[in-house]
Amino acid sequence: MNAKLNAVLQAIDAANRADPTTTPDDAGEAQPEAYLYGLRMSAELDRLIGEEASDVLRIAARGQHIERWLLKRADYPEGRAGYLAWRRDQGRAHGERLGGLMRDAGFSENRCARVGVLLRKEGIKRDPEVQQLEDVICFTFLKWYFDPFAAKHSDEKVLGIVAKTARKMSADARARVLAEFDLPGDLANAVKAAA
């Protein structure tokens, strides 16, 4: 790993270790939520894309939730419009924060701007790198966060979330989901129908 990339990843981890919300890791040890999420995103990126991933994609994956707790969902209106506004503002804030860390490490302005494009998901389904990030996000959700989410929601809501998640993914990623996850019939059908 090159020095500039390593410096940014370390800065992201340091920022995310300040997350006041903790969650258990795979060994049951409490970890700051954003920090653990970043590690999981990097692990899925390495598994799904490997050596082909650019430095900018690696930074976007690790920092997708950088300091997410600073913009509270409760500060936005209830409902879908409020949720979408919060998500949009999060993407902007994360892009600006990561761009600043990249600038500090010596990355070019082009690459600092590019990380924001990825985090704001500009060009999803058209920009291969934005799509790679979205696929990693979806796999991370399915692998580590889906079961706790499903346990709290109705079957109808879970089916809807799986369908929305599948529509965001590339065809290759959907095929991998069907091969790698043991989804019940209705959920597997929702993934297949997303093509």
Side-chain angles (χ1 to χ4, degrees):
M1 184 180 309
N2 69 59
K4 290 193 295 189
L5 174 60
N6 192 48
V8 176
L9 296 181
Q10 285 183 2
I12 291 167
D13 289 349
N16 281 340
R17 280 191 185 101
D19 189 344
T21 305
T22 60
T23 191
D25 63 15
D26 296 341
E29 298 290 322
Q31 297 290 338
E33 194 169 271
Y35 170 68
L36 182 59
Y37 181 81
L39 296 179
R40 287 172 169 171
M41 284 285 291
S42 287
E44 280 304 281
L45 177 73
D46 288 344
R47 191 176 75 80
L48 295 172
I49 305 201
E51 303 268 330
E52 296 174 28
S54 71
D55 287 356
V56 174
L57 181 55
R58 290 182 186 285
I59 291 165
R62 184 70 141 257
Q64 194 222 354
H65 282 180
I66 190 167
E67 299 173 337
R68 189 175 203 210
W69 65 94
L70 297 177
L71 275 177
K72 296 175 179 30
R73 173 63 181 99
D75 293 342
Y76 289 78
E78 290 295 317
R80 182 157 174 75
Y83 173 74
L84 293 175
W86 173 71
R87 290 274 307 267
R88 182 194 63 237
D89 290 350
Q90 286 283 15
R92 284 186 194 141
H94 297 157
E96 290 170 10
R97 181 73 163 107
L98 291 180
L101 294 176
M102 291 173 71
R103 213 169 280 109
D104 291 347
F107 281 91
S108 71
E109 281 304 315
N110 261 2
R111 294 178 104 195
C112 295
R114 178 74 177 147
V115 79
V117 168
L118 270 61
L119 291 170
R120 291 185 303 271
K121 301 179 185 181
E122 296 172 5
I124 193 167
K125 299 288 185 184
R126 296 183 316 276
D127 181 319
E129 207 167 35
V130 173
Q131 189 59 56
Q132 286 175 325
L133 179 62
E134 186 62 34
D135 288 347
V136 170
I137 291 166
C138 292
F139 265 83
T140 300
F141 168 70
L142 290 169
K143 187 170 184 176
W144 282 288
Y145 301 96
F146 177 72
D147 285 343
F149 173 86
K152 294 189 247 176
H153 297 284
S154 69
D155 290 348
E156 183 179 325
K157 181 158 185 157
V158 169
L159 183 58
I161 291 296
V162 168
K164 285 178 191 172
T165 299
R167 282 193 298 271
K168 295 177 193 176
M169 300 174 86
S170 66
D172 288 345
R174 285 192 301 272
R176 281 189 80 161
V177 163
L178 292 170
E180 293 180 19
F181 294 96
D182 186 21
L183 295 174
D186 58 341
L187 300 183
N189 288 336
V191 173
K192 291 174 189 171

